[in-house]
Amino acid sequence: MAAGELGPLGGYYFRFLPQKTFKSLSTPETTSRLRQWSMLGRIKAQAFGFDQTFQVYRKDDFVMAFFKDPNVIPNLKLLSDSSGQWITLGTEVKKIEAINVPCTQLSMSFFNPLYDEDIVRENGHIVKCLDSFCDPFLISDELQKVLLVEDSEKYEVFSQPDREEFLFCLFKHLCLGGALCQYEDVLNPYLETTKLIYKDLVSVRKNPQTKKIQITSSVFKVTAYVSVRGNVQPTNLIICY
């Protein structure tokens, strides 16, 4: 492509970067934890490069161009609902919904309210509670309650803006796990794994004026739709950032 030449959808061309790995997902400790949480083989990160300056206000054009790109369609992996296996996208997306996910947190002290509000004890043990049901989850501790039960006493420990943060979303996914999740009795494994993956996915830089570290990544939660028998349906990209 000649310098300055625009792609078919607003100037974006993508290339698959199979050599870029995400070590946080493959360390022995993380692998063991993901297996315990019923998430091993059900979470994947891939890298693609693009050739134009990204503008946040054009996020919909960017995401649509990504899913329509001929280098993305045969390489992007998604988890099949029917087989439970990773398959390639394999078809052109007809419609997308991209929601901005705030990504501003630089410290795991973000989760200190869990200790301050006696959801987790000082020794790191998660406080248990009477079993209750929040479809499809059986809730047996205060951490699950604060993540899921909106009318619980301590739900407001985290504000709605807090809950929208990418760091919180990642933490919540790990804490709730998969269908056969064996939950932790202590908080630290969740925090450690969240931190490792977050640092692996998010880029930072030092502001030359303030000398403070700031996040440069933009995060979006995406639902993609494909045409199935003439009808436009969401793909099984249930959670895609």
Side-chain angles (χ1 to χ4, degrees):
M1 183 180 68
E5 182 181 343
L6 295 180
L9 282 166
Y12 296 110
Y13 281 98
F14 295 85
R15 64 189 185 281
F16 181 42
L17 303 175
Q19 72 278 11
K20 165 63 177 174
T21 58
F22 296 87
K23 295 180 180 178
S24 62
L25 292 172
S26 58
T27 67
E29 191 166 31
T30 299
T31 298
S32 175
R33 288 171 178 170
L34 292 178
R35 181 181 293 109
Q36 177 181 331
W37 303 335
S38 191
M39 295 184 75
L40 187 63
R42 301 186 65 83
I43 181 172
K44 184 181 288 288
Q46 292 179 277
F48 293 81
F50 57 96
D51 66 336
Q52 301 291 328
T53 302
F54 172 69
Q55 303 289 343
V56 174
Y57 72 92
R58 295 187 60 212
K59 66 176 175 63
D60 291 339
D61 291 338
F62 177 84
V63 175
M64 180 58 86
F66 174 77
F67 281 105
K68 285 180 172 288
D69 193 277
N71 291 316
V72 172
I73 291 172
N75 290 301
L76 181 66
K77 297 287 188 178
L78 48 142
L79 195 62
S80 169
D81 282 337
S82 57
S83 69
Q85 302 296 314
W86 288 97
I87 59 175
T88 57
L89 178 59
T91 186
E92 189 175 284
V93 164
K94 302 299 183 183
K95 174 187 172 184
I96 58 95
E97 293 174 359
I99 301 171
N100 182 61
V101 178
C103 186
T104 65
Q105 297 301 318
L106 290 165
S107 171
M108 297 302 286
S109 62
F110 176 78
F111 295 106
N112 282 354
L114 294 174
Y115 294 94
D116 298 339
E117 298 296 329
D118 296 324
I119 296 160
V120 178
R121 296 191 174 94
E122 288 185 9
N123 62 7
H125 281 261
I126 300 166
V127 176
K128 299 298 182 182
C129 67
L130 294 175
D131 287 351
S132 59
F133 194 68
C134 183
D135 193 24
F137 298 96
L138 175 65
I139 294 176
S140 58
D141 62 49
E142 293 292 337
L143 177 59
Q144 294 166 341
K145 279 175 69 174
V146 85
L147 292 176
L148 290 170
V149 184
E150 295 186 19
D151 60 356
S152 64
E153 180 183 353
K154 298 178 181 178
Y155 187 81
E156 293 184 0
V157 164
F158 293 101
S159 66
Q160 189 55 39
D162 287 342
R163 291 173 180 274
E164 293 170 359
E165 282 280 342
F166 184 48
L167 181 62
F168 186 92
C169 295
L170 184 57
F171 175 75
K172 182 177 179 179
H173 290 318
L174 295 176
C175 290
L176 297 180
L180 302 176
C181 180
Q182 301 173 57
Y183 296 106
E184 299 286 349
D185 292 321
V186 295
L187 183 66
N188 200 50
Y190 295 132
L191 292 181
E192 285 183 348
T193 310
T194 299
K195 182 178 179 179
L196 282 173
I197 298 175
Y198 188 71
K199 288 179 67 176
D200 216 3
L201 297 179
V202 172
S203 298
V204 299
R205 70 172 182 181
K206 182 180 286 187
N207 186 299
Q209 280 76 42
T210 65
K211 307 301 181 184
K212 293 182 178 180
I213 299 297
Q214 62 185 36
I215 292 173
T216 59
S217 298
S218 297
V219 181
F220 306 100
K221 184 175 181 179
V222 177
T223 303
Y225 296 80
V226 298
S227 180
V228 179
R229 298 185 184 92
N231 297 316
V232 176
Q233 302 179 6
T235 72
N236 55 356
L237 297 175
I238 299 169
I239 297 169
C240 176
Y241 293 104

